[in-house]
Each structure stands twice: as C-alpha cells, then as structure tokens.
Amino acid sequence: MMRSTFAGFTTATLALNASHRALEVTGQNIANINTPGYTRQRLDIQSLYLKGGEYYNSHPNARIGFGVEITGVSQLRDPFLDTQYRLQMSKLGTTDAQVAGYEKLANILDETNDKGIKTALSDLASQLQKLAQNPNSKEYDSMVRSSSQILLNLFHQNATDLGEVRTDLTNELRDTTVKDLNKILDNIAELNESIKNSEILGNPALELKDERNELIDELASYLPISTKYRDHDLGAGFTVEELDIYFTDTDGTRYKLISDNRVGEISVNVDNQPAELFVTDCNGVGPTEITDTIGDGVLKGTLDILNKSGGFDEPPSDVRGIGYYEKSLDSLVATLAETLNGLNKTKDAAGNPVDNPLFEPIDNTKPISAANIKIADDWANGKYGITISNVEVPNGQGGNNTGATADENVLKMIQALSADREFKYSYTDAAGANQEIDFYKGNFYNCFVNMENILNIDLKAGNNTLENKITVINQTSDLKDSISGVSLDEEGINLLHYQQSYSAAARLMTTLDEALDKLINGTGVVGR
C-alpha cells in the first residue's frame, strides 16, 4: 500500500494543532497561577501511527508515522505526596484542637491579676492571723468568714467557667465540627457524580477534580482517610473514574465513607459524659462506636480535651483534658474543707467531739467540690465561730494544760494552710470500690500553682508541636507545589518552546507545499 502524497500535510496540520493546544493549556496555567487549589495541567500527546501506511518500494519495517495525536488534558499530581499531605493534615488537626482547648482553659486558670484564688488563699491565712491576735473578737471572726466566702466564690466561678468550656466544646463538636464534616462528605459525593457525568460527555472535568481535592484535603484534617481511584467500565471499552474514600481506625478496621455518589455519616452523642463518636459506612452499616479508636484529626483532639483526665484516668491517659483540671480543683477544695472542718471541732461537757463545720456542701447528696461548697449555715448565722482553742484553761489556771495558749487552734489552721500534705483524688471504680489517686504533695497555695504550671506546660508543648507540624506540612505542601503548582518560569519556557514548535510545523507545511508545487508544476515539462 502506497503512502498518500498528502500525508505530510496531515502530519504538519496535526503538529500545528498540538502546538496550538499546548499554548492554550500553558495560557490556562498562567491565568490560574493565583487560583487556590488549582493543579497544573498538561497536554497529553502521542505519536500517531496507522497500520499499512508504508511505502510500496520500502522494506516492510521502514514505516513512517502520521504525526501527533492529542489524547487529552491531564493534571500533574503525585499520589504519594497527596497521601503524605493528608496524613500530616490529620496530625495537625489533633494538635490544633488540643491547643484550642488549652487556650480556653488558660483563660480561666492562668491567673495574671491579684484577685484570684492564690490571693484569696493568702488573704484567708492573713485574716486567721489577725483572729489569732484578737481571739475573742467576733469582728475578726466575721472577717475570716468574709475572706472564706470570697475564696468560695472564686472556686464557684472557676468551676462554672470550666463547665462552660466543656459545654462550648461539646456544642461545637456536635453543631459545627461533625456537621461540617458530614457536609464535606456530601459535597465530595456530589462532585463524584458531576465528574463522572462530565467524563461521559467527553469533558475531563479537571476544575471539578481540583475542587474535590481541596475538599478531600480538608476532610483529612478531621480524621485519617485514604483514597482509592478505580475505572468503571461503561461498555464498548469506555471507562470513567470513580473515587472511594476510607477511614481506618487505630484497630485497623476500615470503613468506607464514600463510594462514588454513596456517602456514609459521622455522628456524636454528647448527652452523656464521656462524649461518644460513631461512624456509619456508605453501605448503611452502623453506627459503630469509634470514640477510642478515632486516630488523628480534629475529632480526636476535641474528644481528648473533653474526655481525658490524664493521671486521673484508669488507666492513665496521655492527655490532660478538662477533667484533669476539674478533678484537681475539686480535690483542692475538698481537702481544704476537710482540713479546716476537722480543726474546728470542739468537745461538749462530757468530752465528746462536736462538729462545727466551717464549710458544707450545697447539695447534701453530693460530696464537696469546687461547685458544691458553701459557708456552713450555723457559722454564717453566728451559732458558732472559729474554734479559737480546743484546750480548756479554767479561770486562767494552768492545771493539766499548762503551756497552752488561747489561740492555739487558730494557729493550727494557719499552719495547716501552709503545711505540705498529700492531695488525693477519691473516686468509685467500676466494681464499686473506693479508690484514691495521689496527684500532688505540697500546700494549698502551691497545689493551685501546680495546676497553673501543668496547664502552661501543656499549652507550651502543644504550641511547639503545632509549630513543628505546620513546618512539616508546609514542606510537604512545597513539594506538592513543585509538581502541581504553576511556575511562571516554567510556563514561560513552555511558551517559547510551543511557539517555536508551532513555527516549525508551519515551516514544515510550507516546505511540503513547495515540494508538491515542484512535483506538479516542475516535472514532466521536457519537450513542451
């Protein structure tokens, strides 16, 4: 079979078209250099070869192609870097959520003024010292009671503020975080359908894929995900791309969140403490609880702050969340009340001990805590006051109590406020047994300072980790941009390259035209 005389013009025409389309793709890249999420595009081409097109007088293997064929327009992406970026996004989401929680707690417990709990504890000791100097003065007893009330008000305020942080984070998890996550899943499923329909019509839908990739990156900040692309055969050798998205928990169980246009759901139960997280896969299986197996992401970071209490958990957990500071404060308050109430006991005429508590619970069905403590009613009503001394010195005579002072009990209270002691958190375990956890040794003032210091350590460590993760994710993003991002220098080189190839193709067509003109008009004219 003889090759067509005009085959060279086809080759030149295809070359012109390919160079022209390449210039258009380059222009598209340059136009979108500042478009968020845009992925650099390229023209896909291949050599065009048609069987049976060899010369009749040539060796069968001496075949010449028919030019260049445009096979499509594709995006430049590295799946490995996409996976690494999304993995780092999940880790960043965990730390970011934890730091946000610590910052809320720091606004409560990090006292930077002179009207906080530390000042109130010092003032209580000072008022007791004045009472010791004036042991029979009801006025100074009233001043001690007023100082105690100020301290209790601060305890109440801190307990309320901690509760409000818990409520805010709970509402944010239920009403914002989980809803936004499910909305992202729905949007990705809708884009999957739009992309498939566009590809059926012959449109590569690259801009829709950019939009979908942005949503997938955002989804990765909530929980660890993986993606799988597969070809769906529509028949007659025509395929379209479909996307599956999976969530894998820390136990290795994999849940399919999205399969093409089918979508699963994440749900949360915050009616009880601790908060519970559930997943329903895109096939409707579930809900399955994943509270303790969520892995990295914003969901894990928020649940850690809400549910974990560090050393107070059984077994101890790796995160000191709101519960740690609530329980530390409750233990401080309960120990303070127990200590001063114990020292304020007296004896009746028969020598039997009599309780004259200075503090009592607001709700008698619950133990004393930062939120559940008040000045004892009988002390507030003046039925009794601070027990000045438990030593009886009748008519000023020494007797068996020689050496006792009239203010010895008040001095014991002052000493008790500054003395080191073991602070314990008491609780009832699942078997109903009473348990205690030692968490600090020191005085009351330093116990609160220790809470501040631990929170500052947690916050500083969280911020340092956050900075490190941001650095890592920026490096990964730079690597992605080196492949997927638009470079003006590179696109400028492409402009020159494709402009020269266009000119060369045009020159090829001119040369072929001149050769054909010579063949037609310059041959077979001898003897005319």
Side-chain angles (χ1 to χ4, degrees), residues 132-191:
Q133 296 169 1
N134 301 273
N136 296 316
S137 172
K138 291 186 177 180
E139 177 183 356
Y140 283 99
D141 184 275
S142 177
M143 292 175 64
V144 173
R145 187 168 63 247
S146 297
S147 180
S148 299
Q149 185 61 61
I150 291 173
L151 179 60
L152 298 194
N153 290 343
L154 291 171
F155 286 145
H156 293 163
Q157 186 61 53
N158 277 15
T160 299
D161 291 342
L162 288 172
E164 288 178 352
V165 170
R166 180 179 293 280
T167 300
D168 290 344
L169 289 177
T170 299
N171 292 340
E172 182 179 356
L173 176 64
R174 179 191 59 207
D175 300 332
T176 302
T177 305
V178 171
K179 286 186 177 180
D180 287 348
L181 187 156
N182 286 324
K183 184 62 176 178
I184 291 172
L185 292 175
D186 291 336
N187 289 341
I188 292 174
E190 291 175 3
L191 283 169

Side-chain angles (χ1 to χ4, degrees), residues 250-270:
T250 54
D251 289 337
T253 305
R254 193 162 75 158
Y255 305 88
K256 186 181 288 188
L257 295 178
I258 292 178
S259 180
D260 193 24
N261 62 348
R262 291 182 291 117
V263 61
E265 182 183 27
I266 302 295
S267 57
V268 63
N269 177 19
V270 295

Side-chain angles (χ1 to χ4, degrees), residues 4 23 53 62-63 73 117 122 146 185 204 206 222 232 251 305 322-323 344 347 401 424 430 523:
S4 170
L23 286 170
R63 299 172 179 176
V73 179
I117 288 177
S122 299
S146 297
L185 292 175
L206 300 183
Y222 288 89
H232 177 68
D251 289 337
I305 295 297
I322 298 174
N344 207 52
K347 296 180 180 179
N401 299 317
K424 304 175 183 292
T523 60

Side-chain angles (χ1 to χ4, degrees), residues 90-109:
S90 297
K91 294 180 179 180
L92 178 66
T94 303
T95 306
D96 190 40
Q98 290 175 353
V99 169
Y102 289 140
E103 288 176 343
K104 292 178 183 291
L105 293 173
N107 292 332
I108 301 170
L109 299 176

